Structures are given as structure tokens and as C-alpha cells.
């Protein structure tokens, strides 16, 4: 059977979601898949250091904005030096993976991997390389010579890719979703399971796997304002402890740590309060209005503006009182219908067409 190697990155959860969606579709078509973490390939010390630096840059107001807009986007010397250092560490590891798995396709869903894959694939004429970026403006390190096809989820992103490679082959595809979002539970059942009254206003509060922003104070302010609040800490264990302590004092606050119940939580909610990211596509798929927290620097600013342009969304600072005030107003506004493109068929059709563009039409084509 044909084989695909997917290279994700363990900074946040969004890269893993995209890799999982691609792997699910490929396996359904008879492919064998393997997924690896680019941060782990850098080595335990380098990987941890890279994540620590990234987190620290986001903790300092304006620092990652400066790096993104002044270095990553224009491809300034600092960004290219960082990419070169990562490529030097990654290329040998990627070559070993290519030798071990002998893939027909590599899908990079993490910018750090793209140049290493293109260098390591030298001498492998049958190997194809996709780069999949869901940001609205992929920065310079995403766009490397040698990539066979760039997958993006908007025409704006396609223009951003062509900024660096005017002749770049680009395919615009619907944002892929994790399987449970295509068949979410019924709203009455979800609310009953979560202890939310059928007629009560309800807000889902989630800010990525890192739990960015003052979510514990925000959850408390929201619940005090009247709605039931489903507050998700993600992998932020300290935040989870603070949320559970607040839950003990506020009966309308429901705290969660890392959970696979997001489809049920989103179905139960009337409004999703979140940072810009893949949660927005999931909310739109289920027909939920968005209130966007302006907390993610750099590419998050562009993604936020794009979500506002798509409609049925508002924006707020991360200050708890302002979030509560904006949420109460947003709850009075209509939500969108479920996104018509958020179907398994729409994503699978688009991804299959992308495979066909590079000559990978399916198992029978490779074996015939």
C-alpha cells in the first residue's frame, strides 16, 4: 500500500489536528501513515528549549509580534538563520525517516520541517511533498523551493504563499475537522450530560491547548454575569486547578482540563469564546457564534481579522470584565448556520484532488 509520512509540531495542538485529519483521509483511501513530531526530532534539549523560547516570546507583550512581522513574514536574516539552524539538526533525522518508511508522500504541517524535507528528499524522484498551513498569512519559512503543493484554507492564504513563490502550486481546501465534529451529539443530550439547563444561556471558554490569557478570572466573571460557562484549561495544569477552585464557588462554572469532549461542549454552548485558531473552524462547522480573544500575537492577529471578515464573530480584549460584557451582547445576536463546507465529503474531495495534482490518485494508481 502507499505510505505517507506526516510531520507535525508539538507547539500547541493545531498542527496535530491537521496531521490527524490528513492521516484519517489517507487511511480511508488505503494508505499506511506515520506521524512524527518535528520538535522531538530536534532532540529533547533543543525541542524543550525551542518550546520554552516560543512560550516566553508570547508571554512578553509585543515580542512575538515584533519577531513575526519584522522577521518571519519578510524572511529577514534572523528568521533565515533560525530556519538554517533547525534544518541542520532536522535533515539527518528526516533522511533516516525517509529510509525507514519509504513514503510516497510527506505532508509537513509545521514550518520548521519544510526546508529539511526538501533537502532530505534529494535523490528520491518518486517522493511528493505537501505543505499544509491553516494560517491566513503563511510566513516566509512555510514557503520553500522544492515543495510540490501548498495546501491552504483561504484565497488570502494562497496570495500569501505566492508572495514568496509567484509560481507556487497552491490548493485551497476546506479546514479539516476531527471526526467527532462531523457527527456531534444532540444538543439536549449534551446539555443534560453536562448539567446545563435546556433554556439557560451557555458559553464555551477555551483558548488553545496552552490556555492563553487570564481564563480563570474570565470564567468567574462570565459565570457571575449569568450564563453557564464551560471553561477548558487544555494542557495548562495550573489553569485547571484554578478553574476547579473557582467551580467550587460558582455553580454555573463547569471546569475541564484536557478533554476529548469539545464537540459536546460546543454543541451545548450558544457562544464560543476563544482565541483565533482551529477552534474557530470547529465552531463554524457546528453553527456557533464566536467571540474572539485578542491574545495570540503574530499570525494570531491575521487569523483574528480573517475570522471577523467571515462574519458571525466579535472581538474583545482578554480583560475579564470586557469579555463578560462582550459575551452578554454577543449572546443576543444570531449565530450562523452550520458551515456548508464542513462535511467529510467536502474535505475528502478537496484532498483527493490535491493528491491527483501530483500524480498520487490512489492505491490502485501506485500499484498499477
Amino acid at each position: 500500500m502507499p505510505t505517507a509520512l506526516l510531520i507535525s509540531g508539538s507547539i500547541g495542538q493545531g498542527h496535530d489536528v491537521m496531521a490527524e485529519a490528513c492521516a484519517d483521509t489517507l487511511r480511508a483511501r488505503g494508505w499506511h501513515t506515520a506521524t512524527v513530531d518535528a520538535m522531538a526530532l530536534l532532540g529533547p534539549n533543543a525541542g524543550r528549549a525551542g518550546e520554552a523560547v516560543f512560550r516566553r516570546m508570547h508571554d512578553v507583550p509585543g515580542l512575538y509580534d515584533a519577531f513575526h512581522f519584522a522577521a518571519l513574514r519578510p524572511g529577514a536574516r534572523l528568521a533565515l538563520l533560525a530556519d538554517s539552524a533547525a534544518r541542520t539538526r532536522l535533515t539527518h533525522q528526516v533522511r533516516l525517516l525517509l529510509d525507514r518508511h519509504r513514503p510516497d508522500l510527506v505532508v509537513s504541517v509545521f514550518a520548521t520541517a519544510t526546508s529539511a524535507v526538501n533537502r532530505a528528499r534529494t535523490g528520491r524522484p518518486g517522493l511528493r511533498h505537501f505543505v499544509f498551513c491553516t494560517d491566513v498569512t503563511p510566513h516566509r519559512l512555510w514557503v520553500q523551493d522544492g515543495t510540490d503543493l501548498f495546501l491552504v484554507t483561504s484565497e488570502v492564504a494562497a496570495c500569501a504563499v505566492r508572495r514568496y513563490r509567484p509560481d507556487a502550486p497552491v490548493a485551497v481546501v476546506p479546514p479539516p475537522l476531527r471526526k467527532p465534529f462531523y457527527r456531534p451529539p444532540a444538543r439536549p443530550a449534551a446539555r443534560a450530560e453536562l448539567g446545563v439547563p435546556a433554556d439557560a444561556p451557555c458559553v464555551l471558554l477555551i483558548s488553545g491547548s496552552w490556555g492563553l490569557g487570564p481564563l480563570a478570572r474570565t470564567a468567574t466573571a462570565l459565570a457571575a454575569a449569568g450564563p453557564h460557562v464551560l471553561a477548558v484549561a487544555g494542557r495548562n495544569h495550573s489553569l485547571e486547578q484554578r478553574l476547579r477552585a473557582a467551580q467550587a464557588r460558582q455553580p454555573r462554572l463547569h471546569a475541564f482540563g484536557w478533554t476529548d469532549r469539545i464537540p459536546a461542549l460546543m454543541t451545548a454552548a450558544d457562544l464560543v469564546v476563544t482565541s483565533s485558531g482551529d477552534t474557530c473552524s470547529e465552531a463554524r462547522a457546528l453553527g456557533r457564534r464566536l467571540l474572539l480573544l485578542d491574545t495570540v500575537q503574530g499570525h494570531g492577529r491575521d487569523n483574528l481579522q480573517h475570522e471577523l471578515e467571515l462574519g458571525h464573530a466579535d472581538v474583545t480584549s482578554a480583560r475579564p470584565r470586557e469579555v463578560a460584557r462582550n459575551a452578554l451582547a454577543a449572546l443576543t445576536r444570531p449565530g450562523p448556520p452550520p458551515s456548508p463546507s464542513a462535511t467529510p465529503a467536502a474535505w475528502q474531495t478537496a484532498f483527493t484532488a490535491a493528491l491527483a495534482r501530483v500524480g498520487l490518485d490512489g492505491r490502485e494508481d501506485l500499484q498499477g
Side-chain angles (χ1 to χ4, degrees):
M1 62 176 64
T3 299
L5 176 66
L6 298 105
I7 303 183
S8 184
S10 56
I11 292 183
Q13 183 68 15
H15 305 289
D16 290 337
V17 170
M18 297 303 103
E20 180 183 339
C22 293
D24 286 343
T25 301
L26 288 163
R27 286 194 295 268
R29 293 179 56 81
W31 287 60
H32 172 75
T33 69
T35 302
V36 298
D37 175 17
M39 297 300 291
L41 294 179
L42 287 169
N45 294 331
R48 284 194 295 267
E51 181 173 346
V53 168
F54 193 77
R55 283 177 178 266
R56 179 58 179 161
M57 292 178 77
H58 273 276
D59 289 341
V60 178
L63 182 56
Y64 188 72
D65 276 336
F67 181 62
H68 178 84
F69 291 110
L72 289 176
R73 179 172 289 183
R77 179 175 174 78
L78 178 61
L80 296 179
L81 286 173
D83 186 56
S84 177
R87 182 174 62 245
T88 299
R89 284 181 171 270
L90 280 175
T91 300
H92 176 65
Q93 296 299 324
V94 172
R95 285 198 181 106
L96 293 177
L97 288 168
L98 298 182
D99 289 338
R100 182 186 314 155
H101 295 284
R102 299 189 179 278
D104 304 282
L105 172 69
V106 176
V107 182
S108 297
V109 294
F110 193 62
T112 304
T114 57
S115 60
V117 172
N118 285 341
R119 176 168 292 187
R121 68 182 292 198
T122 301
R124 305 170 194 265
L127 176 61
R128 300 291 182 266
H129 181 206
F130 285 0
V131 166
F132 190 8
C133 180
T134 57
D135 290 336
V136 70
T137 51
H139 58 65
R140 177 65 182 84
L141 303 191
W142 280 104
V143 186
Q144 305 282 349
D145 291 336
T147 301
D148 294 295
L149 187 63
F150 295 90
L151 303 180
V152 296
T153 57
S154 69
E155 291 292 345
V156 177
C159 293
V161 170
R162 289 193 288 265
R163 165 181 176 165
Y164 308 112
R165 278 186 60 185
D167 60 344
V170 183
V172 179
V173 300
L177 305 174
R178 289 171 284 180
K179 285 182 178 180
F181 284 95
Y182 291 122
R183 292 185 178 179
R187 180 180 173 90
R191 285 201 162 204
E193 179 185 351
L194 296 166
V196 177
D199 58 349
C202 182
V203 172
L204 171 60
L205 175 65
I206 181 172
S207 186
S209 64
W210 287 359
L212 295 172
L215 292 197
R217 290 189 289 118
T218 300
T220 300
L222 279 168
H228 280 255
V229 180
L230 311 172
V232 180
R235 299 189 187 279
N236 189 329
H237 300 300
S238 174
L239 172 59
E240 181 182 355
Q241 292 175 351
R242 295 196 300 275
L243 285 174
R244 295 199 183 279
Q247 175 182 253
R249 302 187 299 270
Q250 174 51 263
R252 287 190 296 273
L253 176 56
H254 311 258
F256 301 86
W258 179 254
T259 177
D260 60 1
R261 300 170 66 191
I262 301 301
L265 301 181
M266 200 170 283
T267 298
D270 302 295
L271 174 71
V272 177
V273 181
T274 186
S275 52
S276 58
D278 300 308
T279 300
C280 297
S281 299
E282 296 166 348
R284 293 185 185 281
L286 274 57
R288 295 297 180 266
R289 190 175 184 91
L290 291 163
L291 176 60
L292 299 166
L293 301 168
D294 189 7
T295 58
V296 181
Q297 298 183 46
H299 63 284
R301 312 286 191 203
D302 294 324
N303 292 342
L304 187 152
Q305 292 298 323
H306 184 60
E307 292 296 338
L308 294 176
E309 183 181 33
L310 292 176
H312 295 97
D314 300 286
V315 62
T316 179
S317 76
R319 301 182 186 93
R321 288 185 180 180
E322 293 184 15
V323 176
R325 181 182 178 187
N326 277 280
L328 291 179
L331 283 167
T332 68
R333 302 184 183 114
S339 174
S341 65
T343 65
W347 157 250
Q348 290 166 6
T349 298
F351 192 71
T352 300
L355 292 172
R357 283 183 60 175
V358 298
L360 300 177
D361 296 326
R363 175 175 53 189
E364 63 278 2
D365 299 304
L366 290 171
Q367 295 182 338

